[in-house]
Amino acid sequence: MAVTKSIAFAIILLLPLAIADVQVINGKIKITTLTGSFCPHTVDFVSQQLAPAYEEFGEFLDIEFIPWGRATLNADGTVTCNSGTNDCWANRLHRCVIDLLQDDQAAQMRFMNCEFTERTAFLHGSYACVQDIGLNIVTVDYCVNNPRRDNLDADAAASSAEILATLNAVPAIIFNDNIDESVALYTDARNRLSSLICFALAEVPETNVTGCTLM
Ligand SMILES: *[C@@H]1O[C@H](CO)[C@@H](O)[C@H](O)[C@H]1NC(C)=O
């Protein structure tokens, strides 16, 4: 045990992981992510990092998606997207679905993983991932086409403005609502999120998480 610990310690010294920046609060780590349907880096992050980390550690995660990219909410209530109409449409769809699934985090994660694996909404304007998740397509379509009947655009615009003003990154990745400009933390979140989460959880014995490895 002592030997294992000192080996782990030595490896951590050699390859510093930004775990000091991620903490477990009341048994959970909150991860907020600002996503963009167009953005290839969001595709990689959601499908290669967040979804696998959720699969492994979902019971300890509280995930908040802000599907907005770098859009602008205009004074007349319309939204302009820097990557065009498909980007706008797909991000709006993501906001609607995340809202409709607000009490089911696992379903939110399945949906976003579907969207950022298949990219059916962005590439094809399709509701295939909505169907996969079992939501009523008529309800979703109504939401997508009636943005003035809810505050989803205004809420996402407000949250994103604060995040982008500091981080200027899509995907933005924020732990425990602490908008942290650390490049090391962002690099780890983008490349080895499961390790980052595992080591943070292992600091809390009650999680029973052990045996973390660096990736
Ligand atoms: C950790 O293990 C203990 C003992 O087996 C168990 O009672 C507890 O529920 C576990 N905690 C978690 C978060 O799985």
Side-chain angles (χ1 to χ4, degrees), residues 7 16 18-19 26 29 32 36-37 54 58 73 77 80 124 139 151 156 185 194 196-197 206-207 212:
I7 291 169
I19 48 169
N26 296 327
I29 298 170
T32 305
S37 68
Y54 189 83
L73 182 62
T80 304
H124 309 298
T139 308
N151 294 320
L185 178 60
S194 287
L196 199 59
I197 292 169
E206 293 74 28
T207 63
C212 303

Side-chain angles (χ1 to χ4, degrees), residues 1 9 40 64 76 115 129 167 174 191:
M1 189 64 182
F9 189 61
E64 181 185 9
D76 67 358
E115 278 296 318
C129 290
L167 298 180
I174 294 144
N191 295 293

